Amino acid sequence: MTEQTLNGSDVRYRAPYLEWAKTRPSAEFDLAGSNILPCSLDDLPGGREAIALWGANDNGYAPLMEAIAARYGAQASQVTTASGTSGANFLVYAALLSPGDAVLVERPGYDPLLGAARMFGAATIRFDRTFESGFALDPDRVRRAISPRTKLIVVTHPHNPGGVAADAGALHEIGRLAEQHAAHVLVDEVYLDATPLASSRGAIRGDVFLRTSSLTKSYGLSSLRCGWVIASEALTYRLRRARDIVDGTGSIVAERLGALAFQHLDRLNARAHQILRTNAHLVGEFLASRRDLEWVPSVGTVVFPRIRGVNDASAFAERLMNDTRTAVVPGRFFEAPAHFRLGYGGDTEKLRGGLERLAGALDAGGR
């Protein structure tokens, strides 16, 4: 392997945040993740018995697709299974994009949503969800960015990294704009089930929308990589044929366990909400005590504060890790370098310890 290959200079497509997340040092107090505290197999009654190496899942495991459809108000014929939400998003790009097309992607945003579009030869055009607006989804910004080349508009709900819900009226208007331009709207809902706003899915109606999610972030089941797309039947056919090329089928072991998880989803959801109620209270108290931080209230598993008077929080995040073994995500990975992302879906005592060390680092000079 050449030095050029080792330093990545000949890599055509990159997701800098994910590369950082996979290669960063292990933290004692990890506030960089956005998942709910992982479940154990004991949290999934019948899990050991459900493990089997056989089953028909050519177009997805039928019991899993039926469970997804029942849970989210769709038909099984509208469900495409995928490897996590990132895999689901990739299938949407693969099914809908051609070289020369344009994709509108929010900023700040999650970097794989940019890299995947580039892999298919599409241009990424940005529209802003600004701190000053509370990271609100603004249809006027989308209207100014859309063009005849636009084939897809990508929205996260709640916003990653801001943790702010998308307004139902704004989603409706963006759907109308997409229809006028023969485009579609991808709504990434991976954090939505962990919020009090899951019922807001009712605002997302019509064949113009594709909804992606998984059991990964909201239920503590990230290792299953159980994701899906819900779309019209016509688009679902295209998505399934895209999966034929991408990875053929999913893991029958994971899909059987995913189907079992749906039988216990209400209990797992209650577990997640209890963790978040406790942890969100701790984070809220911490943020309210800090005059050196500015933030927008979050409904998800992350919040995205910024340090007053600091243009780039990267050095602060690095020092926090080196000095205290506490990790947060530098905002530069979301194109908002003044910020850092703080996750609070994990272990409560680790969160408490991490916040104490974060406070100490800020007191020592958050620059």
Side-chain angles (χ1 to χ4, degrees):
M1 185 176 291
T2 66
E3 182 178 351
Q4 182 184 36
T5 301
L6 284 171
N7 67 26
S9 61
D10 63 349
V11 176
R12 292 180 64 195
Y13 308 105
R14 301 179 74 172
Y17 163 64
L18 281 183
E19 185 175 354
W20 173 85
K22 291 177 177 181
T23 58
R24 66 185 174 90
S26 177
E28 182 179 359
F29 301 93
D30 197 341
L31 310 187
S34 59
N35 292 7
I36 290 293
L37 182 69
C39 293
S40 71
L41 203 53
D42 291 334
D43 292 311
L44 207 58
R48 290 177 175 85
E49 294 76 12
I51 295 175
L53 303 180
W54 55 269
N57 70 333
D58 292 339
N59 277 318
Y61 184 51
L64 174 60
M65 295 195 299
E66 290 163 3
I68 293 168
R71 183 83 179 186
Y72 299 110
Q75 302 296 318
S77 57
Q78 297 176 278
V79 176
T80 303
T81 55
S83 179
T85 308
S86 290
N89 291 339
F90 190 84
L91 291 181
V92 173
Y93 284 41
L96 297 186
L97 297 181
S98 297
D101 290 342
V103 182
L104 305 190
V105 183
E106 60 196 9
R107 180 174 51 208
Y110 182 57
D111 63 9
L113 296 174
L114 302 172
R118 294 169 184 146
M119 291 189 78
F120 295 104
T124 52
I125 310 300
R126 315 307 302 279
F127 64 93
D128 290 317
R129 296 178 69 163
T130 66
F131 177 83
E132 291 73 20
S133 71
F135 297 123
L137 185 60
D138 184 350
D140 285 337
R141 292 180 181 272
V142 174
R143 183 180 291 106
R144 290 193 291 270
I146 202 166
S147 76
R149 294 172 57 207
T150 303
K151 298 302 179 186
L152 191 63
I153 302 165
V154 183
V155 174
T156 55
H157 172 46
H159 179 228
N160 183 17
V164 174
D167 176 74
L171 283 172
H172 175 79
E173 178 61 18
I174 289 171
R176 192 182 67 81
L177 288 169
E179 286 181 324
Q180 291 174 350
H181 289 79
H184 289 88
V185 183
L186 167 58
V187 184
D188 179 329
E189 300 177 336
V190 69
Y191 297 102
L192 187 57
D193 281 6
T195 78
L197 305 170
S199 61
S200 66
R201 284 188 180 87
I204 304 173
R205 297 186 182 278
D207 291 351
V208 71
F209 290 104
L210 303 94
R211 294 156 44 194
T212 60
S213 193
S214 69
L215 299 179
T216 300
K217 298 294 185 181
S218 295
Y219 294 101
L221 294 170
S222 60
S223 295
L224 289 185
R225 306 304 300 155
C226 179
W228 57 84
V229 189
I230 297 175
S232 69
E233 290 188 4
L235 286 177
T236 296
Y237 178 81
R238 294 168 64 180
L239 292 161
R240 292 179 181 179
R241 300 295 69 81
R243 187 165 203 192
D244 291 344
I245 297 168
V246 173
D247 62 357
T249 66
S251 161
I252 188 60
V253 176
E255 292 195 358
R256 287 173 66 97
L257 287 171
L260 177 67
F262 270 87
Q263 297 177 25
H264 302 284
L265 216 56
D266 287 339
R267 183 172 55 79
L268 294 174
N269 186 260
R271 170 187 180 268
H273 280 257
Q274 179 57 52
I275 292 169
L276 281 177
R277 276 193 296 271
T278 301
N279 290 0
H281 178 72
L282 289 175
V283 171
E285 286 189 332
F286 167 79
L287 292 171
S289 73
R290 303 301 313 190
R291 293 187 176 181
D292 46 3
L293 295 181
E294 300 176 289
W295 76 98
V296 174
S298 167
V299 298
T301 63
V302 296
V303 67
F304 200 47
R306 66 185 185 187
I307 306 171
R308 294 182 189 273
V310 174
N311 293 325
D312 190 338
S314 297
F316 172 76
E318 184 174 355
R319 187 168 65 253
L320 178 70
M321 180 63 190
N322 291 339
D323 294 349
T324 73
R325 305 297 296 170
T326 301
V328 296
V329 185
R332 71 177 186 274
F333 291 117
F334 306 98
E335 302 171 288
H339 295 253
F340 60 88
R341 197 185 73 176
L342 188 159
Y344 54 89
D347 179 81
T348 299
E349 291 310 308
K350 288 292 186 181
L351 173 64
R352 198 187 308 273
L355 291 176
E356 290 173 358
R357 285 154 181 79
L358 180 55
L362 288 167
D363 289 342
R367 295 179 183 274

